[in-house]
Amino acid sequence: RPKSRPAPKTHPQTTQALVPQEPAQTPLAIIERVARDKTVDVAKLAALVDLQKEMMRVQAKIDFDQAFARMAPELPTITKRGKIQGKNRPAIGYARLGEDIHPVIKPVLARYGFAIRHRTEWPAPNMVRVIGILSHRSGHSEQSAFEGPADASDYRSHVQSLGSTVSYGRRYTTVDLLNLTVIGMDDDG
């Protein structure tokens, strides 16, 4: 008969009660808890709030930059298809904002959480300033400004000349904020 082996020695198991761990608290939750404590110095609470705002601002900028870096290779090259024909000069090509630029950039911007908008200011008589604003869903935004006089010509009224400058500003700030490449006919030197 084969020899039987002795049963392994067993050791009594020690059981430890598991101590439930609290989930990590967000900075905002900590600030709320501290705010309820009547013994906390208001200046210290204000410093905590400022610190939280700064942390959020830095994170939003990081998110913006990372999303822009992922988006940049997908931004298309814009073709100049518009033409301006003036008296006694050859036609000048330009990329039209509504027809050439927006239709191809807006889907890419949306995919990466960006939006672009413009604000118009009037810093002086006959001067127009257009501010282009590129915003990301994280809360960070960047701006580009274009300023110029009314784009006067023989075939436009004064109001139309101001509108032309606004159009220029919107196009140029959009191209600037997105670092777009514009190609096509370029007869204006």
Side-chain angles (χ1 to χ4, degrees):
R1 268 181 140 184
K3 267 186 168 177
S4 63
R5 296 184 180 179
K9 292 183 179 180
T10 59
H11 301 286
Q13 288 187 334
T14 55
T15 58
Q16 280 186 322
L18 296 176
V19 178
Q21 300 226 348
E22 289 185 33
Q25 290 190 359
T26 64
L28 188 56
I30 293 168
I31 291 170
E32 288 175 1
R33 192 180 77 232
V34 169
R36 283 188 225 114
D37 185 343
K38 295 183 189 308
T39 64
V40 172
D41 180 358
V42 174
K44 287 181 183 176
L45 180 60
L48 279 175
V49 170
D50 289 344
L51 177 61
Q52 172 63 14
K53 286 179 183 177
E54 180 62 14
M55 289 169 54
M56 290 171 64
R57 187 193 63 73
V58 168
Q59 187 59 54
K61 174 73 166 102
I62 290 168
D63 294 346
F64 179 101
D65 289 342
Q66 289 176 343
F68 194 93
R70 287 190 307 272
M71 177 183 68
E74 291 187 38
L75 288 171
T77 297
I78 308 298
T79 303
K80 293 180 182 180
R81 295 187 300 179
K83 291 182 185 177
I84 298 173
Q85 182 67 52
K87 292 181 184 177
N88 304 321
R89 69 176 189 188
I92 297 172
Y94 71 99
R96 299 168 299 181
L97 188 66
E99 295 90 345
D100 300 327
I101 299 174
H102 276 176
V104 295
I105 67 166
K106 282 190 170 186
V108 178
L109 293 174
R111 209 168 25 255
Y112 290 93
F114 287 96
I116 195 161
R117 65 188 188 278
H118 295 87
R119 181 177 72 241
T120 304
E121 300 173 350
W122 309 92
N126 294 319
M127 288 297 291
V128 178
R129 178 183 301 128
V130 177
I131 311 294
I133 305 160
L134 179 65
S135 300
H136 186 253
R137 68 176 152 232
S138 66
H140 181 75
S141 64
E142 297 195 357
Q143 299 183 2
S144 175
F146 174 93
E147 188 172 309
D151 180 30
S153 74
D154 295 338
Y155 56 93
R156 280 195 293 258
S157 71
H158 180 69
V159 171
Q160 289 171 323
S161 296
L162 290 169
S164 178
T165 302
V166 170
S167 293
Y168 273 111
R170 290 172 55 110
R171 280 197 317 272
Y172 285 113
T173 57
T174 298
V175 168
D176 182 48
L177 284 165
L178 297 174
N179 196 32
L180 296 174
T181 302
V182 181
I183 62 168
M185 127 181 196
D186 191 3
D187 296 329
D188 60 347

